[in-house]
Amino acid sequence: MNAIRPERPIRYLKIAKRIVPLAFLIYLLPKVMLAYFVCGILDVRRNSDRSLETLNRYFFGNGVLTWLLSPINLLLDVVSIPFRNWGIYQLDDLPEDYRNEIAEVMEVADQAAFIELLERQMENRKRLMLFFKWYGVNNPSFTSVPEFHRPTKFIRTIGVSAFNGRQSTSRHFGPLRATLRVLYNVGPTPQGDSYIEVGRHVNHWRDQRLFIFDDTLQHQSVNEAEGIRYCMFIDILRPSKAPWLLSLFVSSVRICLSRSRAVFYKNWDIAK
């Protein structure tokens, strides 16, 4: 008889940790859990990759928070009507006022002084996260870029993620659909493949420096090059007839996460 491999009990234990609490909730709250499953299915099916791996990650992995917020996210889709959620956007899909605010950030990001700031901060680090504005509140640590602290009507977050060579994230889902994620690759393009993958769509930074998407879709950032990849990330309110309502959701998230932000970026160095 073959001996059980050591990793098999560990795998069974992980499965049990996922299934047992879920079964307990279904027993206690069957109608609530049925509603959640319906919302979850409606939500996760928006992903172009609907494999078992994606479903497992959404319902049992790092997508659980997105699943828990799926009723709110579906409501936000309704609130945003008549503006359709394209999932992946072109800049021209956004209203002019939105485009103007994004253009102002990109103009500053392309300046040599800003690139030098990033290079100083990134020295001897594998991954770095810098926040200039976070969910509508300025980060006072980076007063050296005052343009990013100007009042904005639609932009809520301005930051930079930096990967050293051969670094990548896992596949994951963003939590809330009140904003869109705008990514803008800055500095020298790494020699080698560096890209973001959203479902089955892959955007290579050497081909397209600007990429806009709904980050509640499953995505992964990869830098297979040897050089450093610097990417601005800008969270902007979704186009809507009621931007004040979306802004209220974003402010609520900021209040809820103000003391636990480090949990979401535990694999990153956060610049102080």
Side-chain angles (χ1 to χ4, degrees):
M1 178 180 290
N2 293 331
I4 297 177
R5 292 180 297 180
E7 66 270 16
R8 188 169 294 176
I10 296 175
R11 185 178 63 182
Y12 292 157
L13 180 60
K14 288 181 178 179
I15 294 173
K17 285 182 177 179
R18 296 173 179 176
I19 293 179
V20 171
L22 184 60
F24 185 65
L25 286 172
I26 292 173
Y27 175 76
L28 287 179
L29 304 166
K31 293 182 179 178
V32 172
M33 293 308 298
L34 176 61
Y36 258 107
F37 273 114
V38 171
C39 289
I41 292 297
L42 290 174
D43 192 43
V44 75
R45 68 184 296 274
R46 298 169 53 255
N47 290 269
S48 57
D49 181 357
R50 301 170 187 170
S51 63
L52 289 177
E53 181 183 1
T54 298
L55 295 175
N56 179 62
R57 187 174 292 111
Y58 181 87
F59 287 105
F60 300 107
N62 56 31
V64 166
L65 180 57
T66 312
W67 176 29
L68 293 176
L69 292 173
S70 60
I72 295 176
N73 285 329
L74 293 171
L75 174 62
L76 290 172
D77 287 338
V78 174
V79 169
S80 299
I81 293 173
F83 295 96
R84 179 179 174 182
N85 186 344
W86 295 102
I88 295 173
Y89 291 73
Q90 301 299 319
L91 188 60
D92 289 342
D93 293 329
L94 303 178
E96 183 178 4
D97 290 347
Y98 289 65
R99 299 198 303 267
N100 291 339
E101 284 196 358
I102 293 171
E104 290 174 0
V105 174
M106 292 193 299
E107 183 178 357
V108 176
D110 283 331
Q111 295 175 7
F114 180 66
I115 305 302
E116 291 172 2
L117 169 66
L118 298 182
E119 290 174 345
R120 290 195 303 270
Q121 292 289 332
M122 186 59 185
E123 188 174 359
N124 299 322
R125 300 177 191 254
K126 290 184 178 180
R127 296 185 187 183
L128 178 66
M129 189 75 70
L130 301 87
F131 291 101
F132 301 94
K133 187 188 296 287
W134 189 71
Y135 283 91
V137 174
N138 291 331
N139 182 357
S141 301
F142 286 97
T143 54
S144 55
V145 190
E147 294 90 344
F148 293 158
H149 288 173
R150 293 173 180 168
T152 52
K153 187 175 180 180
F154 305 108
I155 289 177
R156 289 297 178 267
T157 296
I158 300 175
V160 176
S161 68
F163 282 173
N164 219 317
R166 307 295 178 182
Q167 293 289 314
S168 64
T169 68
S170 60
R171 288 185 173 87
H172 61 284
F173 304 81
L176 192 66
R177 210 145 55 235
T179 58
L180 298 175
R181 175 61 54 87
V182 180
L183 298 179
Y184 184 57
N185 204 243
V186 298
T189 303
Q191 296 300 310
D193 207 2
S194 183
Y195 59 89
I196 181 170
E197 182 178 282
V198 180
R200 300 188 184 280
H201 180 92
V202 180
N203 182 80
H204 297 272
W205 297 119
R206 63 173 180 263
D207 300 326
Q208 182 65 41
R209 295 176 63 197
L210 179 67
F211 185 69
I212 306 170
F213 73 110
D214 167 7
D215 81 331
T216 64
L217 297 174
Q218 181 177 232
H219 57 283
Q220 179 182 28
S221 291
V222 177
N223 183 24
E224 295 179 347
E226 296 295 338
I228 299 174
R229 183 231 65 176
Y230 297 105
C231 206
M232 294 289 303
F233 61 89
I234 306 161
D235 287 338
I236 193 163
L237 294 177
R238 285 178 61 179
S240 169
K241 294 292 186 180
W244 61 271
L245 182 58
L246 298 182
S247 184
L248 179 63
F249 272 103
V250 172
S251 297
S252 300
V253 170
R254 182 189 72 238
I255 294 170
C256 293
L257 299 182
S258 59
R259 295 186 179 181
S260 58
R261 181 172 61 176
V263 173
F264 292 89
Y265 303 105
K266 61 184 179 180
N267 295 321
W268 299 79
D269 289 335
I270 307 295
K272 305 296 184 180

